[in-house]
Amino acid sequence: MPYSQGDAAKGAAIFKRSCALCHTVGAGEPNKVGPNLHGLFGRKTGSVDGFSYTAANVKKGVVWGEDTLFEYLENPKKYIPGTSMNFVGLKKEKDRNDLITWLKQATA
């Protein structure tokens, strides 16, 4: 099933609980353990300046969009074998839809 619009408020809570330890979203905010996600949509994997990616991430060459993120967030290590992202994923479609809906707003 592809992405469908979710609840941005619930997505913000998911980000805070599952992503904020490693990622920032605001323009000019620093990279953490993971890259800053500002400008995520339409950006290629492994392309944030100043962040050290695995070769697998750089070589994947996917452009992030709603559907690619929907698939990736289910199981990042399956989507990009060799990634160093230590996140088991979001199994529930609703959680992925909510998070992506919020990310579209927060990273624009």
Side-chain angles (χ1 to χ4, degrees):
M1 170 179 269
Y3 164 81
S4 62
Q5 187 164 340
D7 182 322
K10 289 180 181 177
I14 292 167
F15 183 86
K16 184 176 181 182
R17 176 181 72 238
S18 300
C19 314
L21 183 64
C22 297
H23 293 281
T24 56
V25 295
E29 291 182 333
N31 295 319
K32 290 181 165 182
V33 173
N36 176 288
L37 301 177
H38 185 77
L40 175 65
F41 291 84
R43 183 169 76 203
K44 272 180 101 170
T45 55
S47 65
V48 171
D49 287 337
F51 187 79
S52 179
Y53 289 95
T54 61
N57 236 305
V58 175
K59 289 179 183 174
K60 184 70 175 183
V62 167
V63 174
W64 293 122
E66 296 160 346
D67 291 333
T68 52
L69 280 168
F70 186 82
E71 186 178 349
Y72 174 75
L73 289 169
E74 182 177 15
N75 187 341
K77 288 191 180 285
K78 181 179 176 185
Y79 191 79
I80 303 179
T83 185
S84 62
M85 183 159 151
N86 261 342
F87 178 61
V88 297
L90 297 170
K91 304 306 176 209
K92 294 179 183 175
E93 292 178 0
K94 180 173 182 357
D95 288 348
R96 295 195 310 272
N97 286 327
D98 291 345
L99 178 58
I100 293 166
T101 298
W102 180 79
L103 283 170
K104 286 174 60 180
Q105 297 171 9
T107 65

